[in-house]
């Protein structure tokens, strides 16, 4: 009787930010669920946006993931955008990058490189590879 409606874009965004932060910390869905007293399946539903995260639960998640509640709404659809004064430019590419397993692995490895000259060489290598991929297209 109740019709299946698609998740709200804000719920999807908040869920993706929960997933991003959880992955940045290397925390499993099960571990986050245990800390909140809920199942990992519920965490999956939050992360997909199929279940809306209530205010008190979002506060608990922010405490466990060690970020302010505002973190979950950064770059949300329908946000301030260019009219926000000092608002930063959208960083969706950063979120997309860190949401991928390759991006997360690359980021974790990169921050462990202490020598700035080697870090620069890594950036130069990635830029050269990207330029090569552009030429092949």
């Amino acid at each position: 009787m109740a019709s299946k409606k698609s998740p709200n874009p804000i719920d999807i965004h908040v869920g993706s930010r929960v997933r991003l932060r959880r992955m940045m910390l290397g925390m499993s869905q099960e571990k986050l669920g245990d800390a909140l007293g809920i199942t990992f399946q519920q965490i999956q539903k939050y992360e997909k946006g199929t279940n809306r995260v209530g205010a008190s639960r979002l506060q608990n998640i922010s405490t466990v993931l060690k970020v302010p509640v505002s973190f979950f709404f950064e770059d949300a659809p329908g946000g301030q955008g260019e009219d926000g004064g000092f608002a930063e430019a959208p960083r969706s590419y950063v979120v997309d990058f860190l949401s991928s397993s390759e991006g997360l692995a690359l980021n974790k490895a990169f921050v462990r490189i202490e020598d700035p000259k080697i870090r620069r060489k890594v950036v130069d290598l990635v830029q050269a590879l990207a330029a090569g991929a552009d030429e092949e297209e």
Side-chain angles (χ1 to χ4, degrees):
M1 318 264 183
S3 64
K4 280 248 186 205
K5 63 178 192 171
S6 58
N8 181 294
I10 297 293
D11 295 333
I12 293 171
H13 180 79
V14 168
S16 72
R17 298 288 290 178
V18 170
R19 180 176 187 273
L20 169 66
R21 182 62 181 161
R22 179 182 60 74
M23 290 179 72
M24 287 172 74
L25 294 174
M27 182 183 289
S28 69
Q29 289 177 331
E30 189 172 14
K31 186 173 177 189
L32 178 56
D34 287 347
L36 298 169
I38 59 177
T39 65
F40 78 90
Q41 291 95 334
Q42 184 64 42
I43 299 298
Q44 284 177 330
K45 290 176 182 179
Y46 287 154
E47 290 184 358
K48 290 178 184 171
T50 53
N51 281 17
R52 180 170 289 161
V53 183
S56 59
R57 176 70 37 87
L58 191 59
Q59 179 66 51
N60 291 343
I61 291 171
S62 75
T63 301
V64 172
L65 298 181
K66 298 178 178 77
V67 290
V69 171
S70 60
F71 170 85
F72 302 109
F73 297 95
E74 288 176 7
D75 303 323
Q80 291 287 326
E82 284 78 48
D83 300 329
F86 294 109
E88 294 180 31
R91 297 184 317 258
S92 62
Y93 67 93
V94 175
V95 173
D96 292 345
F97 173 72
L98 291 175
S99 293
S100 72
S101 58
E102 298 90 354
L104 192 60
L106 184 59
N107 185 64
K108 283 182 175 181
F110 185 80
V111 296
R112 290 197 322 262
I113 300 170
E114 294 181 16
D115 186 333
K117 290 178 184 173
I118 294 175
R119 286 172 82 131
R120 182 72 243 171
K121 287 181 181 180
V122 169
V123 171
D124 292 343
L125 171 64
V126 172
Q127 288 175 330
L129 290 170
D134 288 344
E135 291 171 9
E136 291 176 14
E137 291 177 0

